[in-house]
Amino acid sequence: LVLAGFRPLLKHSFRAKFTSALDIPVEFVEKNVKLRGKLHRVTEKGLEVEHIPISIPFITSIQRKWQSKGLLLVRLAGVELAPSGMAWLQRELKPEQMIWFQLLGREDLALDCLVLVNKGRFLSVCLNEELLRQGLGRTARIEGLHHDSRLYWKLHKRLLRAELKALKKNKGIWKEESYSERIRDWRLAWRNASYLCYVLYVKCKFMIKNTCWALNASLKLHFRPLQSLWYVFTHEHFV
């Protein structure tokens, strides 16, 4: 009878455990819900994580009887991992370690997320930022978020700042580049920026020229009757 009373709750908790990316409601992804999970392994495709729903402690053992088994594939959003980054993840993350992953997007069976791990009792570290801060990857497009959304640019700026710290300190992949390669990349970026400025200058000059021409023509059109009247007045006055 007691179990029968808890059956609706157990059924709801069973549905709350996601064993596939397709099981996660669209609303969860759209609202960027943060989920808890247990890491199983690090692969080239991403992190294989077992979703651990937040449940009532004294019925957890009963709840497990109705829960199916399956792992979620979690990818680090906005990060293009270098081979050294994969090795770092395999070294730093331990099997059975608890993590939090914030949903940003979903592509087929993969989830693009911000991944958080606890460092101490009150401190958590975002793996996406930490990898870039150590120079173990490059920033990439954040899949799943609209390119013009406020959240996209907020997260993208965070990742760019982390990457810039590695670049300034010559960490990871940035240390592997020679000085001549850095100068070449810098000159290429400067050339592209200069060309863009030149194009904008030409366009602005053309627009100003056309605007002035149109304004001049408009003034001539509006003041032509006044000019004619002034001519007649002065002509008659002097005659």
Side-chain angles (χ1 to χ4, degrees):
L1 182 62
V2 174
L3 289 179
F6 280 111
R7 186 168 297 172
L9 180 59
L10 293 175
K11 186 177 181 181
H12 176 72
S13 299
F14 164 75
R15 290 180 179 177
K17 178 169 183 178
F18 307 122
T19 58
S20 171
L22 300 179
D23 297 338
I24 300 177
V26 178
E27 294 77 12
F28 278 41
V29 180
E30 292 177 346
K31 294 181 179 179
N32 309 123
V33 172
K34 189 183 296 182
L35 302 175
R36 185 179 64 166
K38 182 167 59 178
L39 178 70
H40 278 243
R41 65 184 66 89
V42 179
T43 69
E44 294 181 357
K45 295 181 178 180
L47 310 179
E48 293 185 356
V49 179
E50 177 188 357
H51 175 224
I52 306 296
I54 299 175
S55 55
I56 301 174
F58 71 90
I59 64 169
T60 300
S61 58
I62 303 175
Q63 178 184 355
R64 290 174 181 170
K65 296 180 180 180
W66 283 273
Q67 289 179 343
S68 59
K69 295 182 179 180
L71 301 178
L72 302 174
L73 179 61
V74 175
R75 298 188 301 202
L76 296 164
V79 179
E80 181 185 342
L81 269 183
S84 54
M86 177 67 63
W88 184 87
L89 284 174
Q90 293 173 340
R91 184 173 63 253
E92 293 293 324
L93 299 180
K94 308 301 180 184
E96 307 296 318
Q97 182 174 350
M98 299 298 295
I99 65 173
W100 290 87
F101 51 102
Q102 185 177 3
L103 303 173
L104 298 180
R106 175 173 56 191
E107 183 181 4
D108 298 330
L109 296 178
L111 299 169
D112 294 292
C113 307
L114 287 181
V115 180
L116 304 173
V117 295
N118 291 328
K119 293 291 184 180
R121 188 173 182 181
F122 302 105
L123 180 65
S124 62
V125 176
C126 176
L127 286 182
N128 309 57
E129 291 182 84
E130 187 63 23
L131 284 164
L132 295 173
R133 198 178 293 116
Q134 298 297 329
L136 302 175
R138 299 175 185 269
T139 55
R141 191 187 186 319
I142 303 176
E143 301 296 338
L145 293 179
H146 293 292
H147 192 265
D148 57 349
S149 68
R150 184 177 181 181
L151 179 60
Y152 180 93
W153 288 108
K154 179 181 178 181
L155 296 178
H156 193 59
K157 284 193 292 185
R158 280 174 53 186
L159 298 178
L160 284 175
R161 289 195 196 102
E163 185 180 46
L164 184 60
K165 289 182 180 179
L167 181 61
K168 289 181 177 179
K169 296 181 180 179
N170 298 330
K171 285 188 172 183
I173 59 175
W174 307 112
K175 185 178 181 180
E176 297 171 1
E177 287 190 351
S178 64
Y179 179 77
S180 60
E181 289 175 334
R182 287 174 173 271
I183 293 298
R184 182 195 61 195
D185 294 342
W186 180 81
R187 285 179 177 174
L188 181 61
W190 177 259
R191 190 182 302 118
N192 292 337
S194 300
Y195 175 74
L196 179 60
C197 290
Y198 174 74
V199 171
L200 292 175
Y201 166 75
V202 172
K203 286 186 176 181
C204 289
K205 185 178 179 181
F206 180 75
M207 290 174 62
I208 293 173
K209 183 178 179 181
N210 287 347
T211 303
C212 291
W213 181 85
L215 182 61
N216 186 36
S218 178
L219 289 175
K220 285 183 178 180
L221 181 63
H222 286 83
F223 285 100
R224 187 172 297 169
L226 294 178
Q227 291 175 351
S228 301
L229 183 61
W230 176 256
Y231 174 78
V232 171
F233 173 77
T234 55
H235 180 73
E236 291 180 351
H237 178 74
F238 288 105
V239 173

